[in-house]
Amino acid sequence: MQKIGSVISTTTVEDHKYHEYIVRNKDPKARGYHILHGVLAVLLANHTGKASEEIGWAVGDAIYEYLVNRGGKTIEDIQKNPDEFEKTVVEKLKSYEIINDTMARSTKKAIKDVLPPP
């Protein structure tokens, strides 16, 4: 683990449990994964006011759920249908107890604002 300042801690992509699938398999569905993961993790840390590596894990789990477990989804699908992806991210954040139901709407809006348009 690498400390950045005294606030955010990150792990390398090599440490992430999806590294084998996303990087080594060079899955075209995952093109842009690293950028999306980093941007969302920083955005959500700022949005929630929390500095926790669990934010990064929740974002990674949400992206993996969307791209892998739902079969055939791509980063472009996130752009075409951001509502489905935002819901997935919010569900993962709730499961990690990073946000609650009260924060769900503002979190979805924050995610939508950072996603590139189709």
Side-chain angles (χ1 to χ4, degrees):
M1 190 177 318
Q2 174 186 359
K3 286 282 189 187
I4 301 175
S6 61
V7 181
I8 300 173
S9 65
T10 61
T11 56
T12 66
V13 173
E14 292 284 334
D15 295 335
H16 201 275
K17 64 183 176 180
Y18 311 126
H19 176 74
E20 181 69 32
Y21 180 83
I22 291 172
V23 177
R24 292 209 174 111
N25 292 337
K26 301 195 184 310
D27 191 321
K29 293 184 297 186
R31 184 180 62 77
Y33 163 84
H34 298 97
I35 294 169
L36 180 62
H37 184 276
V39 167
L40 282 179
V42 170
L43 164 82
L44 293 168
N46 183 57
H47 178 72
T48 62
K50 297 178 180 179
S52 167
E53 67 182 15
E54 289 180 338
I55 291 172
W57 292 114
V59 169
D61 287 351
I63 294 171
Y64 186 80
E65 170 74 23
Y66 190 85
L67 296 179
V68 179
N69 292 345
R70 295 190 185 171
K73 298 283 186 179
T74 65
I75 296 291
E76 285 77 17
D77 290 321
I78 293 171
Q79 292 175 283
K80 292 176 191 170
N81 187 8
D83 293 337
E84 182 182 1
F85 178 70
E86 293 158 20
K87 183 179 176 186
T88 304
V89 175
V90 166
E91 287 171 1
K92 291 298 179 184
L93 291 168
K94 285 182 184 179
S95 74
Y96 277 82
E97 298 180 355
I98 295 166
I99 65 168
N100 55 32
D101 291 334
T102 307
M103 292 185 68
R105 182 185 287 179
S106 66
T107 302
K108 284 181 184 177
K109 182 178 179 340
I111 294 167
K112 181 175 267 182
D113 289 346
V114 78
L115 292 176

